[in-house]
Amino acid sequence: MNHRRIRARLSEYLDRKLPPEQRAKVDAHLVECAACCAELHELERTVDLLRRLPDPEPPPYLAQAVMARLEAGEGQPELLAQRLRRLIGPAFAVSVAAALGGVFLFTLVDIEIQVPPHRTTTGEPISGVARTSSEPEPARNPYSLARHHARRGESAEVAALLRGAGHPHSALLATHFEHDSEIALASW
Amino acid sequence: MTYEMVESRVATPSRAQAAGRGIVVISDPDAELVDRWQAGDQGAFGDLVRRHERRVFSLVLRMLGNREEAEDVAQEAFLSLHRHGRRFRRQARFSTFVYRVAANAALNRRRTLGRKRAREEALARRQDAGFDLPVTPRDPESAASGSQIQARVQAALLELPPDLRMAIVLCDIEGQSYSDIADMLRIPEGTVKSRIHRARHALRERLQALVRAEADESKGVAS
């Protein structure tokens, strides 16, 4: 093996991913070649520098924030028509719908592609919301407004909005904003 | 070849038995929680978020270099995970799926930020040598130099093109295998190897002084 081919395999050699035969050839080359050996050691130290980077701490309320947003209706599986509109644009979607006798396409909103419905706080299952294309977009939900106020440092407003949402995780987040506002705001 | 996902605490067939049936057994510590979540238990999804939030946040922060953006994208990644949960086919560990969703979210945000802004941010980070990582110095004397080294390494990482950066972060920081990275990024394993190799060489060039200083130090220790 020549230098170029050896050097191209040094990362795999370092990670012990070379087949035994190739590894043996690289071993034999490294014994005789100081330059390739030095390059291997430098790669090793580079990887070591990366591995020594400390783990960043996630924001303290990341999980709660996610659950609160789920409770507010975000992160739900898209309905078929919504997905089509997002992917191919409303104008083209309309023309496709017309070509296929499309009133059926946009009334297929009742067909839901989703994980089985989750439950309300009382344990009752919630079914997916059927929405026709003529219904208006839903109002901005409390959680979106809360994030808007959080970015402005308005912890009292954030807490009030989260309490008003009426969900367990939102209420818990509201408590954090009431008692640890500095940390809570920093994590948003 | 078919795959069977089993819980790690359930007795698994021996490799010989599995091989005889043409089955590859994958042990997944998240299997029980995933089952409960997909059966409708939102609390189980919350447990999955808590279990994976550290790794998701680490990956996204390494890719974006900005804590506020990373917090946003980490949340979006978990919401996306919830939205697309039905796509998890159990042919790999759930953690692989999580990484895939997080990687996509980070790469999408990078594209949204735009190349110009990314270059400006990379320059600012290099100049400030600042990065809000928690520093736990081993001793006060090495605290300053330790955090400076970390800042330089992180700044060099952020200068890599996104595809190389993603590969090396998943491999050398997150400790993922070549095959898992290929699965997460939906690229051939050969491409993974090539990107990791190019990324390491690019970092070595950028950190040459640091790398050679460490080499001299270790020679001094050894002699």
Side-chain angles (χ1 to χ4, degrees):
Chain A
M1 273 195 192
N2 61 30
H3 290 290
R4 192 174 62 84
R5 293 178 75 174
I6 292 287
R7 287 179 177 178
R9 284 166 173 74
L10 285 180
S11 271
E12 286 179 76
Y13 178 86
L14 198 58
D15 295 336
R16 300 189 170 277
K17 293 291 186 184
L18 282 180
E21 199 180 282
Q22 288 193 26
R23 186 171 184 87
K25 286 181 181 173
V26 175
D27 275 334
H29 180 88
L30 290 175
V31 165
E32 296 171 344
C33 180
C36 288
C37 210
E39 183 160 331
L40 175 68
H41 288 315
E42 286 188 0
L43 277 181
E44 207 167 15
R45 282 182 181 78
T46 304
V47 171
D48 191 51
L49 282 170
L50 281 172
R51 288 181 182 159
R52 282 194 270 144
L53 285 175
D55 252 3
E57 281 297 316
Y61 310 126
L62 176 57
Q64 286 165 13
V66 169
M67 298 310 289
R69 290 177 73 175
L70 286 174
E71 284 170 349
E74 295 185 57
Q76 300 308 315
E78 289 178 307
L79 302 176
L80 176 61
Q82 289 170 324
R83 191 169 185 198
L84 280 172
R85 276 200 293 271
R86 181 175 60 80
L87 288 173
I88 63 179
F92 188 64
V94 167
S95 55
V96 166
L100 295 172
V103 61
F104 293 108
L105 195 66
F106 283 99
T107 56
L108 285 176
V109 291
D110 287 336
I111 295 176
E112 295 179 333
I113 306 167
Q114 64 173 348
V115 170
H118 61 278
R119 299 178 185 281
T120 64
T121 52
T122 56
E124 293 168 16
I126 301 171
S127 61
V129 175
R131 189 181 300 143
T132 67
S133 58
S134 60
E135 287 183 14
E137 286 291 304
R140 209 170 167 195
N141 64 54
Y143 187 82
S144 299
L145 286 168
R147 292 183 79 209
H148 170 72
H149 284 288
R151 290 194 195 286
R152 294 156 64 101
E154 295 161 356
S155 57
E157 284 78 1
V158 174
L161 280 164
L162 290 173
R163 286 234 173 262
H167 300 297
H169 282 95
S170 303
L172 190 56
L173 264 177
T175 306
H176 292 308
F177 275 94
E178 285 159 359
H179 298 292
D180 297 312
S181 60
E182 210 171 293
I183 294 173
L185 281 170
S187 72
W188 274 35
Chain B
M1 182 74 71
T2 58
Y3 291 87
E4 273 188 7
M5 186 68 62
V6 296
E7 292 179 36
S8 57
R9 56 191 180 86
V10 172
T12 57
S14 69
R15 287 194 183 277
Q17 289 169 329
R21 298 204 295 264
I23 296 169
V24 176
V25 174
I26 303 170
S27 169
D28 187 357
D30 295 321
E32 185 194 342
L33 280 175
V34 171
D35 282 345
R36 282 171 42 204
W37 165 41
Q38 292 187 333
D41 182 355
Q42 279 292 81
F45 185 76
D47 290 341
L48 287 168
V49 173
R50 277 180 282 276
R51 191 177 277 191
H52 293 287
E53 63 179 348
R54 181 173 284 273
R55 299 268 51 89
V56 166
F57 184 72
S58 171
L59 172 67
V60 171
L61 185 56
R62 299 289 177 210
M63 285 302 298
L64 299 177
N66 176 289
R67 198 173 172 93
E68 195 177 311
E69 292 284 353
E71 287 169 13
D72 221 28
V73 173
Q75 289 188 29
E76 292 296 332
F78 282 115
L79 291 174
S80 182
L81 194 68
H82 188 272
R83 190 178 298 121
H84 301 296
R86 68 175 183 89
R87 291 187 189 174
F88 176 55
R89 296 277 183 242
R90 298 171 190 260
Q91 289 174 347
R93 280 183 296 277
F94 183 69
S95 56
T96 305
F97 185 60
V98 173
Y99 269 117
R100 183 188 300 152
V101 172
N104 279 339
L107 290 170
N108 286 339
R109 181 59 65 98
R110 281 282 287 108
R111 278 192 280 271
T112 304
L113 285 175
R115 289 180 187 159
K116 180 169 180 283
R117 185 177 158 191
R119 276 201 301 272
E120 288 168 359
E121 287 182 344
L123 179 61
R125 283 190 292 272
R126 204 164 54 238
Q127 288 171 341
D128 295 343
F131 189 78
D132 52 338
L133 289 166
V135 176
T136 50
R138 294 182 188 82
D139 61 80
E141 289 78 28
S142 69
S145 60
S147 62
Q148 282 171 4
I149 290 172
Q150 288 163 15
R152 283 174 64 186
V153 174
Q154 182 60 47
L157 189 60
L158 288 167
E159 288 174 25
L160 292 178
D163 56 345
L164 301 191
R165 192 188 320 161
M166 180 63 76
I168 201 170
V169 166
L170 285 171
C171 180
D172 291 336
I173 297 178
E174 299 299 320
Q176 301 298 311
S177 68
Y178 289 177
S179 59
D180 280 346
I181 295 170
D183 196 7
M184 288 167 201
L185 303 182
R186 300 193 188 218
I187 55 177
E189 199 168 314
T191 306
V192 173
K193 291 178 190 175
S194 166
R195 287 183 186 178
I196 287 169
H197 185 66
R198 284 158 53 206
R200 284 173 177 171
H201 271 278
L203 275 179
R204 190 198 63 156
E205 292 298 314
R206 286 171 170 80
L207 297 171
Q208 216 165 50
L210 208 57
V211 167
R212 287 184 181 168
E214 297 237 324
D216 292 340
E217 228 178 80
S218 67
K219 280 182 199 162
V221 169
S223 58

